[in-house]
Amino acid sequence: MPTITFQPVLRDIKDILKSDYYEIPRFQRPYSWGPEHLEEFWTDVVDNNGDGYFIGPMVAYKTQRDTFQIVDGQQRITTLTLMLCALRDIFMGVGRTDLAEGVTKYIERTDDDNIDHYVLKSEPAGPFLASQVQMRTPRTAVPPANEDQTNIKRAFADITKRLVQERPAVAAEQLFEDDHDYIVKLKIIRDRVLSLQVIWIVLDNIDDAYMIFETLNSRGRDLDVVDLLKNHLMSQFKAENGDLDLPAQQWRDMRETLAGAGSGVNPNTYILHWWLSRNAYVSERKLFRRIKDDGFGGASTADTINALVEEAALYARIANPSGWSCLPEERGVRDSLVALEIFAVRQPRPLLLALLRAHKEGIIKLKKLRQALTAVENFHFITTAVVGVSSTGGQSQMYARYARELSGTSTPQDAGLIVDKLVQQLRGSISAAVTFETEFARVLRFTEKSSRTKRLVQYTLRKMHDAAELHPALDHSKCNIEHIAPQSGGEPWVGLIGNLLWLDEKVNSELGDLSFEKKREILSGYSGLYDVADIITEQAWGENEVEARSKRLATRAYEKVWNF
């Protein structure tokens, strides 16, 4: 391997963006940061850090005197550019053109010929980044044409929304432009972004740059939290002999549990959530440093390894609840975990782990465990799955706080009080009925041609059937979704939840594609087994009837089925 010489330099983002121009070459993968990446980045950069936070290395090579192509770091530098553009737009919106101009110099700058250029250019994004983000408002909206542009649009909207939500509540008559506290908060965010630090590595040519990049990434797997922690823990143990290394075997057992029973859950995520279920809040990026600095909350290394191994099985139930062969009395717990998996909700997991651990240790009774899980399930069905409110760093910290409180208690009485506080807080944060009922009819729809929400619709219909208490012995594994008005008609409203029923396969097959009149006659014979009273009384079945039933279902869902 040839020798490559380079001099890594610690630089802050302010210095990088004000000094040169940068390009993301076309052979780079698209901008790919989704909501989870942005959530973690926002928490690290905005919520939990002062100035000078380190965000890793960036690798580039020089193409012109003042232009560099980014080889490693394109996701971060693109996201930072989006944040600065959103800040500039909001500063303009509140009438602070002076602050907007101050940010603009990190977005676009004149060259020696006094011609304006954007500091960051992206060939994968084409002109979209410039015309829809970097360009000052007003902008003419252009739809994204590829994955890179779609992700940039979504991320920019997410960042803008987060910045808007930073504004403190004020009286309705107060002018937006006069919101001094909001300006202060925006300036703090601006300063934190610009003070972020990177190890800046510049190579002479693209071949050298990629060799360094590949070396960093091939070794980067060894820098995962799970492996860093393993090395840290194992360094404090010596194997009893060359053929018997119990701590190392325990660690392998933990990994196998997460991969098998946990259906391939990321061990880094598990370790982070395990930590948050017991200790002060920290992001994954800073977790290992916190562990090294603070130890394990007073626990010995041996106890820590034992706890990580034992609780991996509990976490596997959270990550892959369908694979949990639970006791009959635990089925309600499993059903709530399955629901959260359907909703793709991850924020409550530290709390879920603390709850399962406390139940296993006899600190929390099954009734209270079910109450807590039902509240979390119902809250996220209404607010996340249906209304679509994005989870925030504050929500993650709230769950972690309750997890720590629960882990610090030793009696069922104290644990019960903590669950009561959790339920009360979730009730106070739930979305309003009018918003839920509007989104319920819009989100919950299913046809074979548009099946993205199938699992969520199935879950909703199952819960509503069970809540009606008409046929408690119904085997849900043998049920299907029935469209009252058939899909074959092609009308756009046939997928609405008001046109859907949850029926046993036998009844479903019996209905087939019959006319509504014949279906109504058949369903009348099953009125004691299925919730069809408001269908069999109709004389005709069309768009108006479907929309009316969708509204009735939404009201019952909010007021009764998912009420807690």
Side-chain angles (χ1 to χ4, degrees):
M1 175 178 174
T3 300
I4 301 174
T5 59
F6 61 93
Q7 183 63 48
V9 178
L10 182 66
R11 299 178 68 187
D12 58 34
I13 292 299
K14 179 177 183 177
D15 177 53
I16 289 172
L17 294 181
K18 75 177 183 181
S19 57
D20 296 296
Y21 299 96
Y22 306 93
E23 298 173 348
I24 298 172
R26 62 193 297 262
F27 45 78
Q28 282 278 31
R29 64 189 177 96
Y31 179 77
S32 60
W33 273 18
E36 290 187 358
H37 298 94
L38 287 172
E39 171 69 19
E40 179 182 355
F41 197 70
W42 188 271
T43 301
D44 284 350
V45 172
V46 176
D47 292 340
N48 292 334
N49 295 286
D51 295 343
Y53 179 60
F54 177 68
I55 59 171
M58 287 189 179
V59 180
Y61 69 99
K62 183 178 289 190
T63 57
Q64 300 177 38
R65 179 175 60 85
D66 59 354
T67 302
F68 296 83
Q69 291 214 338
I70 303 295
V71 175
D72 182 26
Q74 65 135 325
Q75 307 289 330
R76 285 165 287 160
I77 199 169
T78 302
T79 302
L80 293 169
T81 297
L82 299 182
M83 294 178 75
L84 291 169
C85 290
L87 281 165
R88 175 204 58 197
D89 291 352
I90 292 177
F91 280 138
M92 289 293 295
V94 299
R96 291 301 303 269
T97 56
D98 55 334
L99 296 177
E101 290 299 325
V103 174
T104 298
K105 63 189 177 189
Y106 304 107
I107 301 167
E108 62 178 312
R109 194 173 56 253
T110 57
D111 64 10
D112 292 341
D113 296 326
N114 202 34
I115 298 173
D116 285 332
H117 296 280
Y118 292 116
V119 173
L120 179 67
K121 297 178 183 178
S122 171
E123 291 193 44
F128 188 89
L129 177 64
S131 69
Q132 302 302 298
V133 177
Q134 293 167 307
M135 181 179 177
R136 305 183 198 210
T137 56
R139 297 184 285 263
T140 301
V142 175
N146 56 37
E147 178 187 359
D148 190 283
Q149 295 176 9
T150 298
N151 292 338
I152 285 174
K153 180 180 179 179
R154 184 181 62 240
F156 186 59
D158 187 322
I159 290 167
T160 301
K161 180 179 178 181
R162 290 172 184 273
L163 289 172
V164 170
Q165 290 174 341
E166 290 289 326
R167 183 181 184 231
V170 296
E173 65 273 11
Q174 184 171 342
L175 293 176
F176 200 53
E177 293 85 346
D178 295 336
D179 196 343
H180 175 266
D181 291 343
Y182 184 42
I183 298 298
V184 170
K185 292 188 75 172
L186 293 178
K187 290 171 67 175
I188 290 172
I189 294 172
R190 176 203 64 191
D191 293 343
R192 288 180 177 179
V193 169
L194 293 175
S195 67
L196 294 171
Q197 293 185 328
V198 302
I199 297 294
W200 183 248
I201 301 173
V202 176
L203 284 305
D204 294 330
N205 56 69
I206 188 171
D207 292 333
D208 287 353
Y210 266 91
M211 189 170 294
I212 294 298
F213 171 65
E214 290 170 3
T215 301
L216 287 172
N217 278 266
S218 65
R219 292 176 181 171
R221 289 189 58 83
D222 295 332
L223 299 178
D224 281 351
V225 170
V226 64
D227 295 312
L228 283 169
L229 183 57
K230 175 189 174 183
N231 293 336
H232 179 66
L233 293 172
M234 297 304 137
S235 68
Q236 301 179 43
F237 279 98
K238 290 186 178 180
E240 296 182 15
N241 61 56
D243 300 321
L244 182 63
D245 189 349
L246 290 179
Q249 182 58 50
Q250 285 181 295
W251 198 263
R252 286 191 291 270
D253 291 343
M254 179 193 74
R255 297 289 297 256
E256 290 173 4
T257 298
L258 297 173
S263 192
V265 65
N266 188 327
N268 294 305
T269 303
Y270 163 59
I271 290 174
L272 173 64
H273 290 166
W274 176 88
W275 171 272
L276 295 179
S277 74
R278 297 168 176 267
N279 303 285
Y281 188 87
V282 66
S283 66
E284 183 176 337
R285 189 186 301 273
K286 301 172 75 174
L287 175 59
F288 180 67
R289 185 172 65 189
R290 176 69 63 81
I291 291 174
K292 285 195 69 177
D293 291 345
D294 297 350
F296 304 102
S300 69
T301 304
D303 288 342
T304 298
I305 293 176
N306 288 334
L308 281 167
V309 173
E310 291 174 5
E311 292 172 28
L314 297 179
Y315 194 82
R317 295 176 182 178
I318 297 169
N320 181 35
S322 299
W324 175 23
S325 299
C326 66
L327 298 172
E329 61 268 23
E330 296 173 319
R331 286 174 185 163
V333 173
R334 183 180 63 185
D335 289 346
S336 289
L337 295 177
V338 169
L340 293 171
E341 189 266 328
I342 292 172
F343 308 158
V345 173
R346 305 288 183 265
Q347 285 77 14
R349 286 189 174 183
L351 173 64
L352 302 179
L353 181 57
L355 286 165
L356 294 184
R357 180 172 62 230
H359 177 61
K360 180 181 178 183
E361 295 171 352
I363 297 172
I364 188 170
K365 302 297 185 182
L366 181 60
K367 182 179 179 180
K368 275 296 179 183
L369 173 62
R370 292 191 61 174
Q371 181 189 3
L373 290 178
T374 297
V376 174
E377 173 191 351
N378 291 2
F379 171 81
H380 282 289
F381 173 74
I382 292 173
T383 303
T384 306
V386 174
V387 176
V389 174
S390 299
S391 298
T392 65
Q395 193 175 91
S396 298
Q397 293 182 48
M398 180 268 290
Y399 282 125
R401 184 179 73 253
Y402 280 111
R404 290 196 303 275
E405 289 184 19
L406 193 61
S407 297
T409 192
S410 58
T411 68
Q413 292 75 18
D414 289 342
L417 291 174
I418 292 168
V419 169
D420 291 341
K421 285 197 304 180
L422 166 70
V423 172
Q424 190 64 31
Q425 181 164 353
L426 291 176
R427 283 175 180 158
S429 304
I430 204 165
S431 297
V434 63
T435 305
F436 172 81
E437 291 172 7
T438 299
E439 293 301 305
F440 186 88
R442 186 186 68 83
V443 171
L444 295 173
R445 57 176 65 211
F446 165 73
T447 64
E448 293 298 339
K449 292 183 178 180
S450 180
S451 59
R452 181 176 57 86
T453 58
K454 182 175 182 178
R455 292 187 70 204
L456 181 60
V457 170
Q458 288 175 324
Y459 160 82
T460 305
L461 294 174
R462 285 198 304 266
K463 289 278 287 190
M464 298 200 77
H465 173 90
D466 289 344
E469 298 182 342
L470 295 169
H471 196 325
L474 185 65
D475 185 350
H476 289 302
S477 67
K478 295 182 179 180
C479 292
N480 290 319
I481 298 173
E482 164 69 15
H483 290 74
I484 304 169
Q487 301 178 70
S488 57
E491 293 86 351
W493 49 266
V494 298
L496 294 176
I497 193 165
N499 189 50
L500 307 181
L501 281 173
W502 186 245
L503 299 177
D504 179 88
E505 292 173 346
K506 176 180 176 297
V507 182
N508 197 299
S509 177
E510 189 176 347
L511 294 177
D513 285 334
L514 296 175
S515 66
F516 172 69
E517 291 75 14
K518 292 182 178 180
K519 285 187 176 182
R520 181 180 61 196
E521 182 180 348
I522 294 171
L523 289 172
S524 296
Y526 292 104
S527 60
L529 305 178
Y530 298 100
D531 186 18
V532 294
D534 61 345
I535 298 172
I536 60 178
T537 57
E538 297 287 353
Q539 298 305 306
W541 195 255
E543 183 175 5
N544 291 337
E545 289 75 18
V546 168
E547 290 182 349
R549 183 168 181 263
S550 295
K551 292 179 181 178
R552 291 195 298 272
L553 293 177
T555 300
R556 179 150 57 92
Y558 191 89
E559 295 180 354
K560 296 182 179 180
V561 182
W562 281 273
N563 186 31
F564 66 97

